[in-house]
């Protein structure tokens, strides 16, 4: 945890103790939960604290503790409370993110026992996992890092906030009681400690592994989605069938996208095919940079693509209507006008529908099809959303299975990156 925050919190508890009977470790736990949420949802400034979960684990009213932390400016709220609609969201006070200290709970404490009990309950779903996921879970639980080297790498990180975030992540892998392996209810992704582990730290996985992932994965899946809308045909993939697309995005949206494409083709504007060719070949970001005469860096090209895909079309703020990332969206639309308009239409009902849909499609391909067939052929992978990690000796077999399934499900094979871990 942040050393400065803990030092000042301990002093405040002496100088200005709460009006209620408290347990010091509950304050620590609430701050720690916020730290974990911040490292998972890196792009959001404020985060919701699940008070029901906090109450279950701490066996007390978390509201009093949160209010004390807020009043002492250990955590900062967004001050956006709407009765019955939205609670306040919080973040750690940036000024207190200095130094790193390890806070140890006594095994005899109520909180220690409650946390362990809660972790056991989280694992109750293991028995409900599909057969191939059970085998993947067992392999994941047996996976180890070179912890000594991993901790040294984390401790060298110059940014304090990231340093204690990395140390916490490593610690939660080392103490196997805190490993998790579950499907996300919203997007069906398989979430594990590995999916939240910084890529630089994966080099410390013990074993001879290779990572195989799809280049520009989300843009590739977007291209597949748009292809299914523009050129509907029988497909094995349920997510891309006409009826499901119309049900998800609305028949009017689908019809509007087809009409826009027809008009732009007639006007000989930059069309969908150039975008599709770029993503299938894994060259989207390179081609995008080239279209802008090298005036855009690769990291900026990626950022623009994700802003186009994941941000809201418009937001209402201070009594006005605004387009978030307006300039970046304009830059993208200049190169791919049809794709920019199609994405806008697909997000017209709710900006979250499109990214969630793409993540569900990704999960179906990687977890329900590729991982399942790999296990059935004696290869038990680790998965990280749009990639698989397998033993180096299984590389060719894995590539063969992935190629076959992409052809079956999508009709084409994306460019794949192969990296030795």
């Amino acid at each position: 945890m942040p050393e400065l925050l803990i030092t000042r919190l301990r002093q405040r508890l002496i100088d200005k103790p709460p009006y209620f009977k408290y347990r010091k470790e509950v304050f620590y736990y609430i701050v720690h939960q916020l730290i974990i949420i911040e490292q998972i949802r890196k792009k959001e400034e404020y985060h919701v604290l699940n008070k029901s979960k906090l109450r279950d684990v701490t066996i007390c009213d978390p509201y009093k503790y949160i209010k004390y932390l807020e009043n002492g400016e250990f955590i900062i709220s967004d001050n956006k409370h709407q009765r019955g609609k939205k609670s306040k969201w919080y973040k750690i006070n940036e000024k207190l993110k200095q130094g790193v200290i390890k806070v140890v709970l006594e095994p005899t404490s109520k909180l220690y026992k409650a946390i362990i009990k809660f972790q056991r309950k989280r694992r109750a779903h293991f028995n409900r996992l599909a057969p191939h996921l059970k085998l993947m879970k067992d392999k994941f639980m047996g996976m180890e890092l070179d912890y000594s080297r991993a901790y040294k790498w984390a401790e060298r990180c110059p940014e304090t906030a990231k340093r204690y975030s990395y140390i916490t992540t490593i610690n939660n892998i080392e103490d196997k009681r805190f490993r998790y392996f579950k499907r996300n209810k919203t997007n069906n992704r398989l979430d594990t400690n590995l999916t939240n582990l910084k890529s630089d730290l994966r080099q410390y996985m013990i074993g001879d592994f290779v990572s195989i992932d799809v280049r520009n994965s989300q843009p590739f899946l977007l291209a597949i989605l748009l292809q299914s809308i523009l050129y509907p045909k029988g497909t094995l993939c349920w997510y891309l069938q006409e009826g499901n697309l119309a049900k998800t995005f609305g028949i009017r949206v689908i019809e509007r996208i087809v009409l826009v494409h027809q008009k732009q083709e007639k006007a000989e504007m930059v069309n969908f095919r150039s975008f599709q060719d770029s993503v299938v070949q894994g060259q989207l970001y390179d081609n995008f940079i080239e279209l802008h005469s090298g005036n855009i860096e690769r990291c900026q090209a990626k950022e623009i693509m994700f802003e186009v895909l994941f941000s809201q079309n418009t937001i209402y703020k201070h009594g006005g209507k605004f387009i978030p990332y307006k300039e970046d969206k304009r830059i993208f639309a200049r190169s791919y006008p049809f794709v920019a308009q199609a994405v806008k239409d697909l997000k017209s009902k709710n900006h979250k529908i499109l990214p969630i849909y793409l993540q569900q499609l990704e999960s179906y391909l990687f977890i329900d099809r590729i991982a399942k067939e790999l296990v059935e052929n004696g290869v038990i992978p680790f998965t990280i959303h749009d990639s698989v990690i397998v033993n180096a000796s299984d590389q060719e077999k894995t590539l063969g299975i992935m190629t076959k399934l992409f052809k079956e499900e999508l009709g084409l094979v994306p460019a794949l990156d192969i990296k030795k871990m």
Side-chain angles (χ1 to χ4, degrees):
M1 301 179 73
E3 186 174 14
L4 182 59
L5 186 152
I6 296 303
T7 303
R8 291 200 181 171
L9 174 59
R10 286 170 175 167
Q11 191 59 49
R12 183 177 171 85
L13 289 171
I14 295 169
D15 298 339
K16 196 174 181 179
Y19 67 88
F20 56 91
K21 188 176 180 181
Y22 69 92
R23 287 179 284 140
K24 194 185 295 183
E25 64 266 26
V26 175
F27 287 114
Y28 300 156
Y29 183 75
I30 291 170
V31 172
H32 188 253
Q33 288 304 296
L34 196 49
I35 288 169
I36 291 172
I37 296 167
E38 283 186 356
Q39 76 187 46
I40 294 171
R41 299 186 175 90
K42 299 178 181 74
K43 292 197 174 184
E44 294 176 18
E45 185 178 4
Y46 294 92
H47 310 275
V48 63
L49 281 168
N50 187 330
K51 294 182 180 66
S52 297
K53 177 191 169 185
L54 290 172
R55 188 178 290 108
D56 288 346
V57 177
T58 61
I59 320 169
C60 67
D61 179 7
Y63 178 79
K64 296 175 183 177
Y65 287 86
I66 292 170
K67 194 67 184 171
Y68 183 86
L69 288 168
E70 185 183 357
N71 289 341
E73 297 186 350
F74 298 101
I75 62 176
I76 310 294
S77 82
D78 62 356
N79 282 319
K80 293 179 181 176
H81 174 259
Q82 293 176 290
R83 187 179 290 275
K85 290 184 178 180
K86 181 191 174 297
S87 62
K88 285 183 179 180
W89 287 21
Y90 301 92
K91 66 177 181 180
I92 304 289
N93 187 337
E94 291 292 330
K95 295 175 183 177
L96 300 179
K97 288 182 175 180
Q98 294 181 35
V100 179
I101 187 171
K102 189 169 185 176
V103 178
V104 180
L105 296 180
E106 291 297 328
T108 53
S109 71
K110 285 184 180 180
L111 183 59
Y112 182 100
K113 292 174 182 177
I115 290 172
I116 299 305
K117 184 179 178 182
F118 182 78
Q119 290 301 120
R120 287 193 187 119
K121 278 177 69 178
R122 285 182 72 184
R123 295 186 174 199
H125 73 281
F126 282 173
N127 293 328
R128 300 192 294 271
L129 291 171
H132 75 287
L133 290 175
K134 283 184 180 178
L135 290 170
M136 288 169 61
K137 182 266 297 180
D138 290 342
K139 182 168 183 178
F140 168 71
M141 288 300 179
M143 180 271 300
E144 299 290 359
L145 301 181
D146 183 333
Y147 297 108
S148 175
R149 293 175 65 205
Y151 280 123
K152 284 178 182 175
W153 184 93
E155 285 160 2
R156 287 196 300 268
C157 178
E159 296 180 56
T160 306
K162 288 184 178 179
R163 198 185 318 150
Y164 60 68
S165 169
Y166 298 154
I167 291 170
T168 298
T169 306
I170 299 166
N171 193 64
N172 286 348
I173 293 175
E174 186 174 18
D175 186 338
K176 293 186 180 183
R177 294 172 299 183
F178 292 90
R179 291 192 187 186
Y180 57 90
F181 185 98
K182 58 186 176 66
R183 296 296 289 268
N184 186 300
K185 291 180 181 178
T186 302
N187 56 27
N188 291 336
R189 279 179 158 179
L190 179 62
D191 293 328
T192 70
N193 304 73
L194 267 185
T195 59
N196 194 38
L197 184 68
K198 186 171 174 61
S199 56
D200 293 313
L201 285 166
R202 291 178 200 146
Q203 65 182 306
Y204 300 115
M205 288 172 65
I206 294 176
D208 186 15
F209 298 113
V210 291
S211 169
I212 304 172
D213 68 305
V214 175
R215 286 188 199 168
N216 42 241
S217 170
Q218 294 295 305
F220 167 74
L221 294 174
L222 172 65
I224 293 295
L225 169 60
L226 292 177
Q227 176 183 270
S228 300
I229 291 172
L230 299 176
Y231 312 105
K233 59 182 180 180
T235 175
L236 179 65
C237 183
W238 178 83
Y239 279 96
L240 298 171
Q241 290 172 7
E242 286 182 73
N244 189 47
L245 293 175
K247 183 180 175 183
T248 303
F249 299 104
I251 188 66
R252 288 185 180 178
V253 168
I254 301 299
E255 289 173 347
R256 189 160 66 241
I257 289 171
V258 173
L259 185 61
V260 168
H261 183 253
Q262 289 172 348
K263 286 180 177 179
Q264 291 199 3
E265 276 200 320
K266 284 179 183 177
E268 295 186 351
M269 296 174 72
V270 177
N271 62 29
F272 169 61
R273 289 294 185 190
S274 60
F275 177 80
Q276 185 182 38
D277 290 344
S278 286
V279 295
V280 171
Q281 294 162 13
Q283 300 295 321
L284 174 65
Y285 302 124
D286 297 321
N287 292 346
F288 189 62
I289 292 166
E290 204 174 293
L291 284 169
H292 291 273
S293 306
N295 294 324
I296 292 175
E297 293 183 2
R298 188 177 180 82
C299 60
Q300 188 185 355
K302 283 187 175 184
E303 194 68 31
I304 289 172
M305 189 66 228
F306 275 78
E307 287 163 1
V308 168
L309 279 178
F310 296 116
S311 71
Q312 295 169 264
N313 289 341
T314 55
I315 56 173
Y316 293 88
K317 198 173 182 181
H318 307 306
K321 187 177 177 182
F322 300 92
I323 299 174
Y325 310 110
K326 184 176 180 179
E327 179 57 23
D328 284 350
K329 287 178 179 177
R330 189 187 65 78
I331 290 171
F332 181 81
R334 208 164 57 208
S335 303
Y336 303 109
F338 163 71
V339 178
Q341 184 59 49
V343 167
K344 188 177 177 181
D345 288 338
L346 290 167
K347 295 192 295 181
S348 57
K349 284 200 294 185
N350 183 333
H351 77 284
K352 293 181 180 178
I353 292 176
L354 176 60
I356 288 173
Y357 195 81
L358 294 177
Q359 288 164 358
Q360 289 172 339
L361 174 57
E362 170 205 88
S363 287
Y364 167 75
L365 292 168
F366 276 86
I367 306 302
D368 300 315
R369 297 293 285 123
I370 292 171
K372 185 172 184 290
E373 186 133 346
L374 285 173
V375 171
E376 288 171 354
N377 284 272
V379 179
I380 302 178
F382 300 110
T383 59
I384 301 175
H385 302 326
D386 61 356
S387 68
V388 294
I389 295 173
V390 296
N391 292 333
S393 57
D394 292 322
Q395 177 179 316
E396 292 310 312
K397 185 190 282 190
T398 301
L399 285 170
I401 288 171
M402 290 178 75
T403 299
K404 176 178 79 77
L405 287 175
F406 277 123
K407 280 181 181 175
E408 285 179 8
E409 296 286 343
L410 309 178
L412 48 81
V413 181
L416 300 172
D417 265 338
I418 305 167
K419 296 175 187 171
K420 188 159 179 65
M421 299 288 287

